[in-house]
Amino acid sequence: MATFRGKVRVGILIVVVIGICLAALYGLLNPISNGCIMTYMYPTYIPITSSDSVTPVKYALYLYHEGWKKIDYKEHMKKLSGVPVLFIPGNGGSYKQVRSLAAESVRAYQNGPLEHTFYQEASLIPKEGDVDISLSSFELANQYTSRLDWFTVDLECEHSAMDAAILEEHTEYVVYAIHKILDQYNVSYDARTRDGAANSGSSPKSVILVGHSMGGFVARAAVIHPHLRKSAVQTILTLSSPHQSPPVALQPSLGHYFARVNSEWREGYEVQTTNTGRYVSGPVLSDVVVVSISGAYNDYQVRSKLASLYNIVPPTHGFMISSTAMNNVWLSMEHQAILWCNQLVAQVSHTLLSLIDAKTGQPFSDSPKRLAVFARMLHSGISHNFNRMMQLPSFKQSINIPVQNTKDASGSQVHRSVTCPSNIHWNDGGLDRDLYIQINEVTVLAMDGRRRWLDIQKLGSNGKSHFVLVTNLEPCSGIRLHLWPEKGKSASSLPLNDRVMEVTSKMMRIPSGPAPRQLEPGSQTEQPPPSAVFWLGPEDMHGFRFLTISVAPRPTVSGRPPPAASMAVGQFFNPEEGNQDLSPWFMLQSTYSQKELLLEEAHPLAVKLSFSISLGLLPVTLSMNTVSCGIRNSGLPEEEAGDIESSRLCKLRCFPPVALAWDDIAGLHIYPNLNSETIIVDSSPAQWSSPQQSEKTVVLLLVDPHCSYKSSISISVSAAASRLILLYNSKIVGLSIAVVFFALMQQAHSWDLNQRIPSMLTAVEFNLTLMSRLFPLAVVPIIIALFISFSISQPFPPFASFTSISLICYIIANGFIAILILISHLVFFVAAVIHIRIKTRWQMWGQNVQFTFLQRFFNRSSCFFSLKAIRVLRANPVLVTLFTAMILACLVHPSFGLLILLFAHLFCCHNALCSFLAASCRSNEQNNETFDCNSDDYKVSERLKYNFDGSFNRTFPSEENSNSPDLSKSFGEAQLDVFHHRHGLVILHLLATMMFAPSVIAWFQRLAMGESLPWFLDSLLCIGVILHGICNSKPEFNSFFLSLPGVPFCNVRLSFVYLIAGYWSYLSGLALAPDIAFYAMAAVGGISFALRMIQRRSSGEKKEVTYRGRKHSHRH
């Protein structure tokens, strides 16, 4: 009964895992609409040749030229005088991918800087030690003084994400290309001097590196290369580049290379000292600024967590921003779309041009200034102020609004924000045009040229201490906001204009949806979507009595007022009234039944939804439907009034809702014109390194307080499954290796107890029992991980979500291994049945005269096998397998050595299963059982006792001649034990071989170009795995009796070694580094080899080999 329940449990598990995979595949294959505009260009690629004899011949360097006219390459090279930028393609990328960035840079240089707006800008105040570096007074240039010269490297479209050796070669060539570019500028400068042409400035001393995907990591690896010239690279911009770890973390050397580069970068930003603490020099990378741009949730290959620079580059020298939070972009895009999406490409081009100092024509030498340019051009005010608005604890970086200081009569400082420029015409009008608002809501439906007064003390009472306003009016030119102090304050002696603080600069831009259409000329249009948010907290309004909202007048068109296409809605509100916490149970229920939230009229304009489970794990489909908008008497029939009121009439009254979702890693995600959208944030919750706040997602809804809404919340199973596989595939791989180790532990433990060796499927099934196995195998490693976090002072991950997701991934890993076991079982069984059938047919045909010539052919071919060399090889198959696998692993590719080992396992499993099936058939026939193994085919072999060896010309020896060490078992049972034992090794070493599958694909791609030797680390670890397969080829090697000095008998059991290896693999999965589990495989092989050598030495002294004792009663 227990066995039946176990099989049902495994069957249900397999069905669930297959369902999750199909749902994830469906979610990943859904088409993505990113809203990007295509970039167009007229590319020309000029090869950069060199007469240097040591020039690498595999790769190439090009200079990009934009234009359709044919040019003279030599003359164009002489005019080289701009700022060099080197583009590095990523995994499988082409050098031609530079064309969008380069073409847009040319257009940006020709058209000039972006139009200046008066929205709040993100101005970072980095802190280094106790020194504040304030760059609030730093202004961007009004025009571009130098163009960008784009270079690109042709890396032959190699798959750099799959092999560390390729990464290292790419790094070396990029270093060469940097030096070649700088030398080319010197050559061009000298050529212009010889020709008498005017030269302005000097040749550049550094190159800006722009890398896509793995090209971004190559750029960072080149900076720390020992052969790179000093200060040759000071600025790096990466697009969807993995920095924390490889996107495919399977090859051990690849993970090691990432760890080494990141370690050197961390040390590069530290002060160099001697072992005694004596100062040597400043940080080596103190002048290097790195900015990473991620594609957010639509980038399936490199997620924002991988693109983060956390713990690699300090905040004083770089940051990571997602494309959804970028100014003028606000979009999520696929991994390749980030190279041609015009919104992002244009913003990046203007950013790079803004790095150029107008005085020198080269990028700013001061790293804080370069960082300030990146912050102002890429960040938006709303993305940096969101945490402060929501009063979230993760607010780390300060925002500085430029202020001017004056002194009152008492000598105290009075701060005034920067006012709108005087060149923008503004007519205040008379006081008779002022409006005094008596309620806590204010609405602007047209540009009427009036000023609205709001009494902060009156309207902001009863806890309504916050004020928010959304509008589509431009700051300064369309709307202005001021704070007026109370009378009798110390500032009252100042002139009126000095007593008023203009806060228009606190307006934050947000992306707006499409503008509403006007059905008829002069008719009223729908409410336009908001394009700006204005937020004041109690600390901002402290000391002031009034808030004024001034709207600019709009001239008439053709003698009549224009259509009302302008809007502004503001409100004093209590943030606590708009907070709604959605529990985990509420979210889980929404997976099978839609949940609704009702917002009545006069609700807060800003509604905060706190989801207890991150939307990066459970994406939510949020629908906002207008129920009513305060229009009771529409003049329509009752049967029509309801529908019309909630659709057409309400669209004239209510502005389209906006959703702002915040994640601590990826930043802000904005969804304008919210109707029915799936809200996703590119977070990485429930990971070992995740902070506590990562398990929650905050969504701020900006909704019209005049209208009531019915909000529907549902969770798509396919979207949740796809996010689960995307976020935790590395964890599942590591846990799958742990599952195999735990199954091998169960097999070894059964052998130690003189029991039958269970099959791999039975071992996996047994390890899923709730208390006896699941807790020590699945929960204990999680406790160990938390203890490690405590011991190294690392912040604890969210316990509930971390434990739940880890257990879910462990269950899925068991399902994957169970599927793999079943498939391999099926293949082995089918192959064995076919082999036995062919064998028996062959024996029947042997009596036929027509096939006598075939027997003679095989008899004559036996002369070849009688050669001495062949006989030696056949007599020592284990040594042949060992040396062949090791030679291939060290000299060709590690995966080929593992394949040899895998083929040896497969051959042994096949022979053992064939012997078991043949012995079972014979045993059943002798016992007169009803089962008949094709008696027509077996009539020749009915009187034979045999042991299958896979040949076609031998009879089978009787089971009395079997060399099985366990004579208490029948011959069939012994062969079945051998099959189960070797089958476990097949599964483990198949996983090891598959971990090198990406690397071997890259190896085949580079086969024609010449291949270097494998990395020593990969070869060494593969040798350890090979030793494990050779030294544990028989079940009796699961335990050893050793005689050590001082210890007469020591029983060493591999079951304990497998347990430790399983725990190590489990922890590697929790760390999202499954490549580290390969070290456990190699360590098991090293331990097995050491034990075999010690045992041989001990047995050599005693002239005997001692295995684990078993009963010697033979059973026929």
Side-chain angles (χ1 to χ4, degrees):
M1 188 64 181
T3 304
F4 176 75
R5 286 199 301 265
K7 293 185 182 300
V8 171
R9 187 163 56 241
V10 173
I12 295 175
L13 175 62
I14 292 175
V15 172
V16 170
V17 170
I18 293 176
I20 292 175
C21 293
L22 293 178
L25 184 63
Y26 175 79
L28 294 175
L29 294 180
N30 280 338
I32 298 175
S33 177
N34 51 31
C36 284
I37 301 173
M38 183 65 72
T39 304
Y40 297 94
M41 70 292 297
Y42 298 93
T44 301
Y45 304 96
I46 304 173
I48 307 296
T49 59
S50 177
S51 59
D52 192 353
S53 59
V54 296
T55 303
V57 296
K58 186 186 297 185
Y59 308 125
L61 177 65
Y62 293 90
L63 171 64
Y64 181 90
H65 172 72
E66 173 68 15
W68 57 271
K69 293 183 178 181
K70 188 176 181 180
I71 61 172
D72 187 341
Y73 289 176
K74 292 184 178 180
E75 291 299 324
H76 185 77
M77 294 298 296
K78 288 183 180 180
K79 301 177 182 178
L80 204 59
S81 59
V83 176
V85 183
L86 177 61
F87 174 77
I88 309 172
N91 177 58
S94 170
Y95 68 97
K96 296 181 179 180
Q97 291 175 331
V98 71
R99 56 186 180 267
S100 297
L101 284 165
E104 197 62 37
S105 297
V106 173
R107 285 188 282 269
Y109 174 73
Q110 295 173 348
N111 299 331
L114 297 172
E115 182 182 358
H116 180 64
T117 60
F118 303 98
Y119 294 104
Q120 180 173 334
E121 296 178 340
S123 178
L124 294 179
I125 306 179
K127 294 184 178 180
E128 187 172 9
D130 297 330
V131 180
D132 291 350
I133 310 172
S134 179
L135 300 171
S136 58
S137 59
F138 173 70
E139 296 294 338
L140 300 176
N142 295 325
Q143 62 181 1
Y144 299 140
T145 57
S146 297
R147 64 177 182 270
L148 298 177
D149 295 329
W150 283 86
F151 296 82
T152 178
V153 288
D154 180 11
L155 301 176
E156 296 291 338
C157 299
E158 293 180 338
H159 295 286
S160 53
M162 299 181 178
D163 193 273
I166 299 178
L167 269 183
E168 192 173 39
E169 291 184 12
H170 287 184
T171 301
E172 293 176 355
Y173 184 77
V174 166
V175 172
Y176 162 81
I178 293 170
H179 295 165
K180 178 60 183 175
I181 291 171
L182 295 177
D183 294 340
Q184 184 62 52
Y185 275 87
N186 294 329
V187 172
S188 301
Y189 185 90
D190 296 339
R192 291 194 302 269
T193 303
R194 288 194 303 269
D195 295 343
N199 280 325
S200 59
S202 59
S203 299
K205 304 299 181 184
S206 65
V207 178
I208 299 175
L209 299 185
V210 176
H212 171 246
S213 187
M214 295 301 294
F217 180 79
V218 170
R220 288 202 304 113
V223 170
I224 60 172
H225 196 278
H227 295 162
L228 184 69
R229 299 174 189 171
K230 185 177 181 181
S231 302
V233 176
Q234 294 183 333
T235 305
I236 300 177
L237 177 66
T238 66
L239 305 174
S240 292
S241 298
H243 295 293
Q244 295 292 334
S245 62
V248 184
L250 298 178
Q251 187 186 24
S253 60
L254 189 60
H256 174 74
Y257 189 65
F258 261 78
R260 180 169 65 84
V261 170
N262 289 341
S263 176
E264 292 188 25
W265 267 79
R266 283 188 285 268
E267 295 174 358
Y269 285 108
E270 298 175 355
V271 177
Q272 305 298 308
T273 60
T274 62
N275 295 332
T276 59
R278 185 179 179 182
Y279 176 84
V280 176
S281 64
V284 178
L285 303 178
S286 59
D287 294 334
V288 180
V289 170
V290 186
V291 173
S292 174
I293 300 176
S294 71
Y297 48 83
N298 281 338
D299 190 344
Y300 294 159
Q301 300 182 38
V302 178
R303 297 169 299 281
S304 297
K305 179 72 172 180
L306 294 179
S308 173
L309 297 172
Y310 175 73
N311 202 28
I312 298 176
V313 179
T316 55
H317 289 77
F319 58 85
M320 189 276 290
I321 183 173
S322 67
S323 58
T324 56
M326 279 184 62
N327 197 17
N328 298 327
V329 181
W330 318 103
L331 299 171
S332 177
M333 53 202 68
E334 301 95 317
H335 190 65
Q336 296 296 332
I338 200 170
L339 286 171
W340 56 261
C341 183
N342 188 261
Q343 294 94 321
L344 185 139
V345 168
Q347 192 68 20
V348 168
S349 300
H350 284 282
T351 301
L352 295 178
L353 287 168
S354 300
L355 292 173
I356 301 174
D357 189 352
K359 298 179 181 179
T360 63
Q362 296 298 323
F364 292 106
S365 59
D366 193 10
S367 59
K369 287 186 177 180
R370 278 180 279 127
L371 186 65
V373 170
F374 278 116
R376 288 197 178 185
M377 294 296 295
L378 301 182
H379 279 295
S380 62
I382 184 66
S383 63
H384 263 206
N385 273 288
F386 188 84
N387 279 354
R388 184 178 63 86
M389 292 161 49
M390 296 292 97
Q391 300 177 352
L392 299 178
S394 59
F395 184 69
K396 301 175 182 178
Q397 291 175 310
S398 302
I399 304 297
N400 179 45
I401 301 177
V403 297
Q404 296 176 352
N405 298 332
T406 58
K407 293 184 179 181
D408 60 6
S410 61
S412 59
Q413 291 285 341
V414 178
H415 301 284
R416 294 183 59 242
S417 63
V418 175
T419 60
C420 293
S422 58
N423 59 352
I424 298 180
H425 177 71
W426 185 271
N427 184 14
D428 289 334
L431 293 178
D432 57 336
R433 300 179 61 83
D434 287 357
L435 298 176
Y436 294 90
I437 307 302
Q438 302 298 323
I439 59 176
N440 61 348
E441 298 173 0
V442 57
T443 304
V444 177
L445 298 178
M447 299 182 67
D448 52 9
R450 294 194 174 190
R451 179 169 55 190
R452 291 156 175 82
W453 289 77
L454 292 86
D455 190 335
I456 297 175
Q457 183 175 352
K458 177 182 178 182
L459 303 180
S461 59
N462 298 325
K464 299 180 179 180
S465 57
H466 288 70
F467 179 80
V468 62
L469 179 138
V470 295
T471 181
N472 72 330
L473 300 175
E474 294 283 337
C476 292
S477 61
I479 189 172
R480 297 188 180 186
L481 299 100
H482 298 81
L483 287 172
W484 297 68
E486 292 182 343
K487 296 181 179 180
K489 296 293 183 180
S490 59
S492 61
S493 60
L494 296 177
L496 180 62
N497 290 337
D498 288 335
R499 291 193 295 114
V500 178
M501 173 179 281
E502 183 171 352
V503 290
T504 310
S505 60
K506 292 181 73 69
M507 289 182 62
M508 298 167 289
R509 186 178 181 180
I510 60 174
S512 59
R517 295 179 300 173
Q518 187 178 7
L519 300 179
E520 298 177 0
S523 64
Q524 187 178 4
T525 63
E526 299 176 358
Q527 280 286 354
S531 60
V533 178
F534 177 79
W535 191 290
L536 289 178
E539 67 280 359
D540 299 316
M541 295 182 287
H542 179 69
F544 296 94
R545 176 64 184 272
F546 295 100
L547 170 66
T548 60
I549 303 174
S550 303
V551 180
R554 185 172 184 180
T556 60
V557 179
S558 301
R560 59 183 298 180
S566 304
M567 58 79 61
V569 177
Q571 183 190 57
F572 283 94
F573 73 103
N574 184 359
E576 299 297 330
E577 296 178 357
N579 290 354
Q580 297 203 28
D581 295 327
L582 306 181
S583 64
W585 179 245
F586 177 91
M587 297 185 65
L588 292 177
Q589 283 182 320
S590 62
T591 57
Y592 56 86
S593 64
Q594 197 175 66
K595 296 296 180 180
E596 294 183 351
L597 296 176
L598 185 62
L599 298 177
E600 300 287 350
E601 293 182 14
H603 58 76
L605 192 152
V607 177
K608 176 183 173 183
L609 302 180
S610 298
F611 292 89
S612 300
I613 301 178
S614 172
L615 300 188
L617 183 60
L618 293 180
V620 167
T621 300
L622 181 63
S623 302
M624 298 293 295
N625 299 316
T626 307
V627 178
S628 64
C629 49
I631 304 176
R632 301 301 180 188
N633 300 319
S634 60
L636 298 172
E638 292 185 4
E639 60 272 11
E640 300 180 6
D643 295 337
I644 297 296
E645 181 181 352
S646 61
S647 57
R648 182 173 61 84
L649 294 180
C650 286
K651 289 181 179 179
L652 302 177
R653 178 73 185 273
C654 312
F655 67 82
V658 180
L660 296 88
W662 173 262
D663 176 64
D664 198 58
I665 295 176
L668 193 64
H669 305 69
I670 303 179
Y671 300 85
N673 287 32
L674 182 66
N675 182 18
S676 179
E677 294 283 347
T678 299
I679 299 181
I680 309 175
V681 296
D682 194 24
S683 64
S684 298
Q687 294 183 1
W688 195 349
S689 58
S690 299
Q692 288 288 338
Q693 60 270 21
S694 65
E695 64 178 349
K696 296 183 179 181
T697 299
V698 175
V699 176
L700 178 65
L701 297 179
L702 300 177
V703 286
D704 200 316
H706 305 99
C707 309
S708 61
Y709 298 88
K710 180 184 291 184
S711 175
S712 301
I713 297 177
S714 61
I715 293 178
S716 171
V717 176
S718 61
S722 62
R723 292 297 299 177
L724 179 68
I725 299 300
L726 282 175
L727 291 176
Y728 306 110
N729 57 80
S730 297
K731 177 180 288 188
I732 293 173
V733 172
L735 297 184
S736 298
I737 299 174
V739 168
V740 177
F741 273 125
F742 292 152
L744 292 176
M745 176 201 68
Q746 180 62 32
Q747 287 185 336
H749 183 65
S750 299
W751 177 268
D752 293 335
L753 297 179
N754 289 329
Q755 298 176 356
R756 294 282 305 276
I757 295 181
S759 66
M760 284 292 292
L761 191 62
T762 304
V764 171
E765 165 198 321
F766 181 73
N767 289 336
L768 285 175
T769 53
L770 186 58
M771 293 305 298
S772 61
R773 290 291 178 177
L774 187 62
F775 179 81
L777 297 183
V779 179
V780 170
I782 299 176
I783 299 175
I784 295 175
L786 296 176
F787 177 77
I788 293 175
S789 299
F790 174 77
S791 60
I792 62 177
S793 301
Q794 176 182 320
F796 270 50
F799 178 77
S801 60
F802 175 65
T803 304
S804 302
I805 294 299
S806 299
L807 292 177
I808 291 174
C809 290
Y810 179 75
I811 299 299
I812 294 176
N814 278 271
F816 280 135
I817 296 301
I819 294 173
L820 185 61
I821 292 172
L822 286 177
I823 293 175
S824 60
H825 261 298
L826 178 62
V827 172
F828 278 126
F829 183 80
V830 171
V833 170
I834 294 175
H835 200 163
I836 292 177
R837 187 179 183 87
I838 294 175
K839 169 67 179 179
T840 54
R841 288 287 185 180
W842 181 261
Q843 291 177 346
M844 292 174 58
W845 294 338
Q847 298 178 352
N848 195 331
V849 180
Q850 299 178 359
F851 296 93
T852 307
F853 71 96
L854 291 178
Q855 294 182 359
R856 293 177 181 178
F857 172 77
F858 286 112
N859 291 334
R860 292 185 179 276
S861 64
S862 62
C863 298
F864 171 77
F865 295 99
S866 63
L867 297 176
K868 184 175 181 180
I870 301 300
R871 285 189 285 108
V872 171
L873 293 178
R874 296 184 68 185
N876 300 278
V878 175
L879 292 180
V880 173
T881 302
L882 175 63
F883 286 113
T884 304
M886 291 177 63
I887 290 173
L888 291 177
C890 295
L891 300 181
V892 183
H893 193 275
S895 61
F896 295 150
L898 294 177
L899 281 174
I900 296 297
L901 177 66
L902 196 60
F903 286 146
H905 289 328
L906 294 175
F907 185 77
C908 181
C909 286
H910 176 72
N911 284 346
L913 185 59
C914 289
S915 299
F916 167 73
L917 293 178
S920 298
C921 292
R922 180 180 54 79
S923 176
N924 291 335
E925 291 173 356
Q926 288 179 350
N927 294 331
N928 296 322
E929 294 182 355
T930 59
F931 178 74
D932 186 10
C933 295
N934 299 324
S935 58
D936 293 337
D937 296 339
Y938 280 84
K939 59 185 180 180
V940 177
S941 57
E942 287 178 352
R943 293 178 296 274
L944 295 176
K945 297 181 179 180
Y946 45 81
N947 177 21
F948 200 88
D949 65 350
S951 63
F952 287 122
N953 57 351
R954 296 181 183 178
T955 57
F956 302 124
S958 64
E959 59 185 72
E960 284 83 352
N961 297 328
S962 173
N963 58 354
S964 173
D966 184 11
L967 300 180
S968 64
K969 298 180 180 178
S970 67
F971 169 75
E973 292 174 346
Q975 292 300 311
L976 187 60
D977 282 348
V978 172
F979 171 77
H980 290 160
H981 173 75
R982 294 298 285 262
H983 186 228
L985 298 181
V986 166
I987 300 299
L988 178 64
H989 297 153
L990 177 62
L991 293 179
T993 307
M994 293 172 62
M995 292 178 70
F996 278 96
S999 177
V1000 78
I1001 293 174
W1003 182 87
F1004 276 112
Q1005 181 194 21
R1006 310 175 78 219
L1007 190 60
M1009 295 180 290
E1011 176 65 25
S1012 58
L1013 293 177
W1015 271 42
F1016 176 75
L1017 177 63
D1018 291 337
S1019 300
L1020 180 63
L1021 294 178
C1022 285
I1023 289 175
V1025 176
I1026 293 170
L1027 290 177
H1028 175 224
I1030 297 298
C1031 297
N1032 292 88
S1033 57
K1034 296 182 180 180
E1036 54 265 27
F1037 295 145
N1038 282 322
S1039 59
F1040 299 88
F1041 269 118
L1042 305 178
S1043 178
L1044 300 176
V1047 182
F1049 291 102
C1050 177
N1051 186 12
V1052 180
R1053 299 179 177 179
L1054 280 186
S1055 58
F1056 179 75
V1057 177
Y1058 285 141
L1059 176 63
I1060 300 302
Y1063 280 169
W1064 177 273
S1065 302
Y1066 201 115
L1067 293 176
S1068 70
L1070 296 181
L1072 302 183
D1075 56 288
I1076 301 180
F1078 211 94
Y1079 292 84
M1081 299 185 194
V1084 172
I1087 294 173
S1088 301
F1089 178 75
L1091 292 176
R1092 286 289 301 275
M1093 292 299 101
I1094 295 174
Q1095 186 187 53
R1096 281 182 175 274
R1097 180 174 298 180
S1098 301
S1099 62
E1101 297 175 357
K1102 297 184 176 182
K1103 304 297 182 182
E1104 60 179 359
V1105 179
T1106 307
Y1107 294 112
R1108 172 71 174 164
R1110 283 183 176 252
K1111 297 179 181 179
H1112 288 270
S1113 58
H1114 183 73
R1115 179 165 56 90
H1116 297 281

